[in-house]
Amino acid sequence: GLFCAVHFIACLWFWLGDVTSDGWTKQQEVRDSDSFTFYLNSARWTIAQISLRTDLEIRTAEEYAFTCLVCLFGLVCVSVLITSISSTIEAFSRFNQEISSQKQQILRLL
């Protein structure tokens, strides 16, 4: 799921930079790159945004808007991950308490 999301967002980021006249793909340092380098740059940007790194480079309005949406997506993903970890820890704690209670009952019977 996560790899598909990164791929999809990376492709959208490349497309957005390519269709705008002054998008990121037109910048001097990447202008003459091949498709694979553009994809790696897009994937790196996507992973950075999803992991809640802020992008302070000069961008077009469309790129800023897309960056905000991807950062919100990253925030949701991190929130879901934290909730999942918390739920797992809580379930593990309840399981340990139940095992401890059962051990105490067995010891009382002996």
Side-chain angles (χ1 to χ4, degrees), residues 2 47 49-53 71-86:
L2 182 61
I47 292 167
Q49 301 313 305
I50 289 175
S51 64
L52 304 180
R53 179 189 74 65
C71 285
L72 286 174
F73 174 74
L75 186 60
V76 169
C77 288
V78 168
S79 299
V80 168
L81 178 65
I82 290 171
T83 300
S84 176
I85 290 170
S86 296

Side-chain angles (χ1 to χ4, degrees), residues 29-97:
E29 57 272 0
V30 294
R31 184 180 352 190
D32 297 325
S33 298
D34 61 6
S35 296
F36 185 68
T37 303
F38 275 127
Y39 181 77
L40 289 178
N41 283 330
S42 298
R44 183 215 50 85
W45 177 88
T46 300
I47 292 167
Q49 301 313 305
I50 289 175
S51 64
L52 304 180
R53 179 189 74 65
T54 55
D55 186 358
L56 299 176
E57 296 181 31
I58 298 172
R59 302 276 182 213
T60 64
E62 295 87 0
E63 289 172 345
Y64 273 125
F66 188 69
T67 298
C68 290
L69 289 175
V70 172
C71 285
L72 286 174
F73 174 74
L75 186 60
V76 169
C77 288
V78 168
S79 299
V80 168
L81 178 65
I82 290 171
T83 300
S84 176
I85 290 170
S86 296
S87 295
T88 302
I89 290 171
E90 184 181 338
F92 187 69
S93 178
R94 282 193 311 267
F95 178 74
N96 280 338
Q97 288 174 352

Side-chain angles (χ1 to χ4, degrees), residues 91-104:
F92 187 69
S93 178
R94 282 193 311 267
F95 178 74
N96 280 338
Q97 288 174 352
E98 186 177 321
I99 294 294
S100 181
S101 174
Q102 289 175 357
K103 282 181 182 180
Q104 288 176 357

